Amino acid sequence: MPDREGRFAGKVAVVTGGGSGIGAATALRLSREGADVVVADIDGEAAAKVAGELPGPAAAVAADVSTVAGVDAYIRTALDRFGRIDLHHLNAGLLGTMAPLPDVEPADFDHVIAVNLRGVFLGLRAAFRRYREQESGGAVVVTASISSLRGAADQLPYQTSKHGVLGLVHGAAMYGAPRGIRVNAVAPGLIPTGIFAASGLADRAATLSRRGRTVPMRRVGTVDEIAGVVAFLFSDDASYVTGEVVSADGGAFMVNTVVRSGGSGAWTPED
Ligand code: NAD
């Protein structure tokens, strides 16, 4: 393969949850910009399909991010195939139960925390061990959420896990800063992806599009709009950015719910 060009030429990236949605879009973006990419997903077939369609060198691995064995598997795949790792996008996640608080089963709570929070902890730990081993700096981007910053009544385990990842980002960024390791998060708003497939929403596409109209930009986002922020955070343009949580939500986070002119989720399509 000839030398590749782009912001990430010569870099090796791992993307967890890369088999679909935001992770697949990031894998494509990083590959187009020159990175060698490892696509990790619990759904090995989906990971292989994404990796097979990337324009540059790529590998796929079936890995459950909530387990030490799964994290070892994606690190080993990257090292066996490419010899090092420079960029980790810790993105795998699921929505989980949307039951109201009195009805949340402990096992359902534990499952969401295991994937969305423990998975990020294990991924950060592995990334930091790798950078130490390589005696290199590096970068990590975690996919947080508007649910890291706001509350909702029907996403208790999910928003607990997403609030928790900010603690990991801040702690890791503090530890990494003097070592040349940057750790940031992207906080997407509403992005139609497979994550809503298990949510039981009737007429999912129409419901998401209607919700999108309550956003200041009056629309949902796209996976490419998140991948662009992730790529920025990985790039040298963000060389002085660490511990930051970048919202990519069409302005949803800034809504002032107590005044109508501030939003109140009260837009009509004509507004
Ligand atoms: P998605 O369902 O399309 O992609 C998530 C991927 O993670 C899937 O391919 C899935 O197989 C994989 N995955 C799930 N559990 C896993 C595990 N244990 N180990 C490895 N892989 C696993 O959804 P998405 O919207 O692209 O989600 C990506 C990230 O974005 C998640 O962390 C999610 O919480 C976050 N996010 C999404 C939105 C949104 O509106 N879509 C908003 C905010 C944050």
Side-chain angles (χ1 to χ4, degrees), residues 40 53 74 89 107 109 139 216 219 231:
E53 290 169 358
Y74 69 68
H89 184 198
F109 183 87
R219 66 172 177 86

Side-chain angles (χ1 to χ4, degrees), residues 12 16-17 40 45 47 74 76 91 98 100-101 105 113 131 146 152 251-252:
V12 178
T16 70
E45 274 180 33
Y74 69 68
R76 211 171 38 246
N91 165 79
M98 298 185 77
L101 176 55
E105 291 296 337
I113 297 295
Y131 296 145
I146 191 168

Side-chain angles (χ1 to χ4, degrees), residues 16-24 40-43 46 63-66 90-95 111 115-116 143-147 158 162 186-196 223:
T16 70
S20 146
I22 291 167
D41 203 289
I42 198 166
D43 182 341
D64 178 349
V65 299
S66 68
L90 304 179
N91 165 79
L94 45 81
L95 199 50
H111 181 54
V115 176
N116 294 6
T143 305
S145 171
I146 191 168
S147 297
Y158 182 77
K162 291 294 180 180
V186 61
L190 189 57
I191 318 293
T193 66
I195 206 168
F196 299 104
V223 290

Side-chain angles (χ1 to χ4, degrees), residues 158-187:
Y158 182 77
Q159 76 197 0
T160 303
S161 70
K162 291 294 180 180
H163 275 63
V165 298
L166 298 192
L168 291 171
V169 167
H170 291 147
M174 287 297 286
Y175 183 76
R179 296 172 171 80
I181 303 169
R182 296 184 302 104
V183 183
N184 292 290
V186 61

Side-chain angles (χ1 to χ4, degrees), residues 49-141:
K49 185 163 188 304
V50 169
E53 290 169 358
L54 296 182
V61 54
D64 178 349
V65 299
S66 68
T67 68
V68 171
V71 174
D72 285 348
Y74 69 68
I75 299 288
R76 211 171 38 246
T77 299
L79 295 183
D80 288 351
R81 182 69 198 275
F82 300 118
R84 58 179 292 112
I85 308 175
D86 304 284
L87 314 169
H88 292 75
H89 184 198
L90 304 179
N91 165 79
L94 45 81
L95 199 50
T97 177
M98 298 185 77
L101 176 55
D103 301 325
V104 174
E105 291 296 337
D108 294 339
F109 183 87
D110 290 347
H111 181 54
V112 174
I113 297 295
V115 176
N116 294 6
L117 186 57
R118 186 175 199 264
V120 172
F121 155 64
L122 292 175
L124 276 166
R125 190 178 72 144
F128 273 65
R129 286 180 172 179
R130 181 87 304 265
Y131 296 145
R132 183 172 63 190
E133 184 83 10
Q134 290 174 185
E135 298 183 5
S136 70
V140 183
V141 176

